[in-house]
Amino acid sequence: MPSPLELPPLYAVLFAPGPAEGRAQDSSLYAPVVFERQADAESTAPHGLARTVAAALPGLWYCLHLPATLLDLVDTPIRLLKAAQQLVLDHNILMLPVDCFDADRIGHLLRGRHPVLAVCPDELLDEVRERASSLGFALPATPYSQLNDNTLAAQWRAIQQHYPVLPAPSAEWSLTRRLDLAPLTLPHRRLARQMGWPTTESTVQDADSERAFDQTLRGQVRLAALARLEREGASLEDAERRIAQTAGEEASRLRVPLALGVPGAAPAYARTAYDGELRRQLEPQPAVSPDDTWSVTLHERPDHLVERAAVEFAVTHQAIASNGLGLMLPTVPREAFLALADLERHSIEGPGSAATRRLLARLNDAAQPLWSDEVRAAVQRAAALTVFSDFPLGLLTMPGDTSPLCTRLPIAYRPLQPLTRTLQLQTAAPPPLGLNHRIKVLIAECIPISDRIGRHSREGWRLARQAAAPDALTVLQAETLTLEALREAVAEHLPDILVISAHGTMAGNLAALHIDGAPRLFLGIDRMPPVVILSACHVAPRGSGAVAITDLLLREGALAVLGTQVPVDVRHNATLMIRFLVYVAEEIAKPGQFATLLDVWHHVQTSNAVNDILTATPKLRRWAGSPTPNGRPVIAEFMATRATGRIRRGHVYEDTERVLGEIADDQGQGLRIRNWFRRPGYVPESLFYVFAGRPDRIFLSSLQQHKERAFANN
């Protein structure tokens, strides 16, 4: 049995169950799905945070100020602090109704963690103290009325004494004041505490957003510079002499994880969920708000401030876990959702290349208010994005770029609607998954072979089975024309990756899979595979505010779900999925290029631009196979030599067109081929995919190998 020294600390935040739930209900009830108009008294608007769960917010924020892992309790090497950006160092927080706080319901959640502290509203204190004691929590339960700087300092000391480890730096620690800036300032304050840097109120907590961002960025640059000097074995004197130059060099190539909170609900969703009077009260919110401050009664504020605090908590929790940056953005403009809805709707009708370009331009124009100077600067330095939003930020083109954001860097989406489920999934913080073994992929064929799409799908997956390295992937196909057959196939094979090949369908406010003649929003799979790929049309739309199966599969237990926003060509989708599986197999067989499943997907999505272009029309497909002057086909010439090192982040489609145009020039048909790029043109289908959940937590190596590699590279 492991000792407490080997286990990360675990915190619990308890709240009272609502009258609708009654007593002794299962905690899964706190992940609701909205189909009909919401009862205004029971949840906030527009994102749907249950008011019973909102009562946990003061406790959740307090726990973010306590040690997340044992690294917080020791004097940690600088290189390890930098390497932590590639590791998984979440705060482990149980957010539960008090009735579920007993061994029968949560005993399994305590395994592998050390229960340290429970926090609760004052009226629950006696019950929580009794339950926490029986569950083995190390410290006495703390009521909200005692959540202050003195209690925080005392509990840090108590936790350090409880873990017999080397003492951590003895910097002062106080509660955050500005919640709107906390995604920046709180991760920086934790880093500064380890590094021994000053973190006074005037320089950190009450700064405006510009100063807070600049200070946080300087801290990240300094961390990168010191980690490099430590890795190079520089002496103290040498480090002092070289620090300025090294910091300048690291600033130009800095890449850190970035979490973004992007609130906003689609107007179509608001019309379904809320009555007219309530909708008129929903006003857009700015990125920062000086009134958004810490309080033990913050859950009693107006809806917009309660929801802000919840989204800010999720972003801050993520930024701390990655030792990176976090930013809040303003509410997505209504016009941006309307433009997105038109884009998705016209895609169903087959708008063509010109209409897609026009609608994407309209979407970019409508979303311009999201691009503050801080957001642009942060994205330019981001290694990857975690986006808490119901808006597909990756479809936007950042000012200065020519291709959408998803071509610039990997993006994982954490849906906001309903906000109750967002908090539940964020605090659950499942352990990272290492896929360093032979991966089992199950392809579930839910479309009859009599259907043309079904025939194309089976042919595409047959090619995938041939292309996948057999020593890295086992690819199985199963005929699952009914929901029960799908469940049985998963139960029999227990795949690591489940590919569901089905028709997608929009049924009212639902974006579901069409299986056995009916729309399916819940699959009811007992042991959900960690990765689910939905090879189906428009199962993750965002403009209409639909309840989407892509998001709901996260509730059913999937760690990561890949879905499409619009209808996609079955052949194009097959090409994309084959390439995805091939690259996963290659990484397993010869590790070193990609760390996570999200990294593989981003490479495949970005590099698929050439296929989007060359498979758009029969003429372009034929030209792709035509010989160049050296005898190689156009596509081989592009892949093998001409594109190497010439496709820039954020300019993928423009650069791909340019390189293809140069190859066409060599054949003496440059003008004609460039005209084909515009008329009839192509639709960039690879852009319209959403990877939801935690694909960034699925490593293509053992966790120990990943940790060793992260430390070796920093």
Side-chain angles (χ1 to χ4, degrees):
M1 184 174 181
S3 70
L5 187 57
E6 301 174 65
L7 304 178
L10 173 69
Y11 309 103
V13 179
L14 290 311
F15 55 90
E21 291 84 13
R23 303 289 283 180
Q25 296 293 308
D26 186 82
S27 61
S28 65
L29 290 176
Y30 294 90
V33 179
V34 178
F35 297 97
E36 306 295 341
R37 194 180 302 278
Q38 290 196 34
D40 301 337
E42 296 179 3
S43 61
T44 63
H47 293 104
L49 177 62
R51 298 189 189 279
T52 51
V53 178
L57 283 170
L60 293 175
W61 271 106
Y62 183 82
C63 289
L64 286 187
H65 295 75
L66 293 168
T69 69
L70 299 186
L71 292 180
D72 288 324
L73 300 174
V74 300
D75 192 358
T76 306
I78 296 174
R79 287 177 62 195
L80 187 52
L81 292 175
K82 180 62 178 173
Q85 294 178 341
Q86 300 177 42
L87 305 178
V88 180
L89 303 175
D90 294 281
H91 278 84
N92 289 272
I93 305 173
L94 294 177
M95 183 187 70
L96 296 166
V98 67
D99 294 58
C100 297
F101 194 46
D102 60 41
D104 289 341
R105 292 179 178 82
I106 68 165
H108 64 290
L109 298 176
L110 304 184
R111 301 189 194 110
R113 304 166 181 174
H114 185 51
V116 171
L117 176 69
V119 182
C120 64
D122 287 47
E123 63 271 16
L124 299 179
L125 181 60
D126 291 340
E127 183 176 1
V128 170
R129 276 187 172 168
E130 180 179 347
R131 290 173 178 261
S133 177
S134 66
L135 287 168
F137 277 73
L139 303 184
T142 302
Y144 284 1
S145 62
Q146 294 179 18
L147 301 184
N148 54 49
D149 291 349
N150 292 333
T151 300
L152 181 63
Q155 288 179 341
W156 263 89
R157 290 192 296 270
I159 293 172
Q160 286 178 308
Q161 292 171 3
H162 188 71
Y163 282 98
V165 295
L166 297 174
S170 57
E172 291 298 321
W173 196 240
S174 59
L175 291 167
T176 295
R177 305 302 177 212
R178 290 276 299 271
L179 299 187
D180 58 339
L181 301 182
L184 283 173
T185 60
L186 192 49
H188 175 74
R189 290 174 62 211
R190 299 179 70 91
L191 175 62
R193 183 179 188 275
Q194 281 279 2
M195 302 293 290
W197 299 336
T199 57
T200 61
E201 289 280 318
S202 60
T203 59
V204 180
Q205 297 239 46
D206 294 325
D208 58 35
S209 60
E210 183 178 352
R211 287 198 297 139
F213 178 75
D214 288 345
Q215 180 177 241
T216 302
L217 201 59
R218 288 197 303 272
Q220 290 289 339
V221 170
R222 187 169 178 81
L223 171 64
L226 291 172
R228 174 180 155 189
L229 292 170
E230 187 178 271
R231 182 177 67 251
E232 294 173 354
S235 65
L236 182 60
E237 293 180 354
D238 189 31
E240 290 179 350
R241 178 178 57 82
R242 295 173 52 196
I243 183 61
Q245 177 182 345
T246 305
E249 294 168 353
E250 291 300 318
S252 64
R253 62 186 185 188
L254 182 68
R255 293 290 182 268
V256 296
L258 175 62
L260 298 177
V262 193
Y269 171 81
R271 288 195 300 271
T272 301
Y274 306 110
D275 60 30
E277 180 179 352
L278 185 54
R279 290 201 303 274
R280 286 189 289 272
Q281 299 174 24
L282 304 179
E283 297 183 358
Q285 300 299 312
V288 294
S289 173
D291 297 330
D292 184 18
T293 56
W294 157 260
S295 168
V296 296
T297 59
L298 63 88
H299 56 296
E300 299 173 2
R301 295 172 179 172
D303 280 9
H304 70 279
L305 287 177
V306 171
E307 290 196 346
R308 279 188 71 101
V311 178
E312 289 158 351
F313 166 81
V315 176
T316 306
H317 182 273
Q318 179 67 25
I320 290 173
S322 64
N323 199 22
L325 306 179
L327 283 172
M328 284 294 293
L329 275 65
T331 302
V332 176
R334 181 176 183 273
E335 294 74 16
F337 271 114
L338 294 176
L340 178 62
D342 284 346
L343 175 60
E344 292 174 347
R345 182 170 58 253
H346 286 296
S347 295
I348 295 175
E349 301 167 359
S353 170
T356 299
R357 286 199 301 270
R358 184 172 64 252
L359 289 166
L360 283 172
R362 178 184 156 201
L363 179 65
N364 280 316
D365 290 342
Q368 281 302 306
L370 300 179
W371 295 111
S372 67
D373 291 342
E374 289 80 19
V375 170
R376 281 183 287 177
V379 168
Q380 288 169 348
R381 293 166 175 82
L385 285 183
T386 302
V387 179
F388 293 86
S389 184
D390 295 317
F391 183 81
L393 198 70
L395 272 185
L396 301 182
T397 299
M398 188 172 72
D401 287 354
T402 58
S403 294
L405 190 61
C406 63
T407 67
R408 174 177 270 272
L409 74 175
I411 302 177
Y413 288 96
R414 309 275 176 88
L416 285 184
Q417 183 66 41
L419 196 46
T420 297
R421 188 168 68 237
T422 305
L423 286 186
Q424 185 188 46
L425 292 175
Q426 185 64 24
T427 55
L433 178 65
L435 293 180
N436 61 314
H437 53 270
R438 185 172 180 174
I439 297 175
K440 186 183 294 185
V441 180
L442 174 63
I443 300 166
E445 294 285 2
C446 300
I447 305 175
I449 197 169
S450 57
D451 186 312
R452 179 183 62 86
I453 301 299
R455 292 194 298 274
H456 283 308
S457 172
R458 285 166 176 78
E459 176 61 20
W461 293 119
R462 185 186 66 80
L463 295 175
R465 295 180 67 177
Q466 294 176 351
D471 56 339
L473 290 186
T474 298
V475 182
L476 307 169
Q477 283 181 277
E479 294 293 322
T480 56
L481 300 182
T482 67
L483 194 57
E484 186 58 33
L486 174 61
R487 294 167 180 164
E488 290 175 355
V490 173
E492 177 185 355
H493 298 292
L494 298 177
D496 302 295
I497 300 176
L498 171 63
V499 180
I500 302 179
S501 178
H503 285 302
T505 181
M506 291 292 296
N509 192 38
L510 310 179
L513 293 175
H514 192 271
I515 301 176
D516 194 20
R520 308 290 184 178
L521 202 60
F522 299 101
L523 300 185
I525 295 173
D526 289 335
R527 294 181 61 180
M528 182 66 69
V531 182
V532 180
I533 297 174
L534 299 179
S535 183
C537 293
H538 51 72
V539 288
R542 293 297 186 247
S544 62
V547 178
I549 188 172
T550 299
D551 301 339
L552 294 184
L553 285 174
L554 300 175
R555 179 185 177 182
E556 289 201 60
L559 276 180
V561 183
L562 182 65
T564 58
Q565 292 176 247
V566 301
V568 292
D569 184 281
V570 62
R571 294 161 299 182
H572 296 178
N573 180 72
T575 299
L576 198 60
M577 294 304 109
I578 290 170
R579 296 185 65 237
F580 182 46
L581 293 179
V582 166
Y583 275 103
V584 168
E586 289 182 356
E587 181 62 29
I588 296 296
K590 297 180 180 179
Q593 184 176 2
F594 305 108
T596 70
L597 199 68
L598 181 63
D599 294 331
V600 175
W601 167 248
H602 176 249
H603 173 77
V604 170
Q605 182 183 36
T606 301
S607 60
N608 210 58
V610 67
N611 291 317
D612 284 343
I613 296 171
L614 293 181
T615 61
T617 67
K619 289 182 178 180
L620 282 170
R621 283 196 292 272
R622 286 194 295 271
W623 178 68
S626 66
T628 58
N630 63 22
R632 277 195 297 227
V634 168
I635 184 64
E637 176 75 2
F638 178 90
M639 295 286 192
T641 59
R642 301 291 280 269
T644 303
R646 302 186 61 195
I647 309 300
R648 297 168 295 166
R649 300 194 323 157
H651 302 275
V652 170
Y653 284 89
E654 179 183 75
D655 289 351
T656 299
E657 286 188 23
R658 186 180 67 254
V659 174
L660 288 173
E662 292 172 0
I663 296 174
D665 288 337
D666 294 343
Q667 297 175 313
Q669 50 182 334
L671 181 61
R672 180 173 62 161
I673 299 302
R674 289 185 178 90
N675 284 338
W676 287 352
F677 293 161
R678 292 292 169 265
R679 190 180 295 113
Y682 61 89
V683 175
E685 279 194 5
S686 302
L687 302 177
F688 295 96
Y689 287 76
V690 171
F691 219 156
R694 299 173 183 264
D696 54 326
R697 304 298 182 88
I698 301 175
F699 299 109
L700 299 176
S701 63
S702 71
L703 299 183
Q704 183 60 36
Q705 288 171 331
H706 178 69
K707 291 177 183 177
E708 293 172 355
R709 191 181 304 165
F711 189 73
N713 293 335
N714 289 283

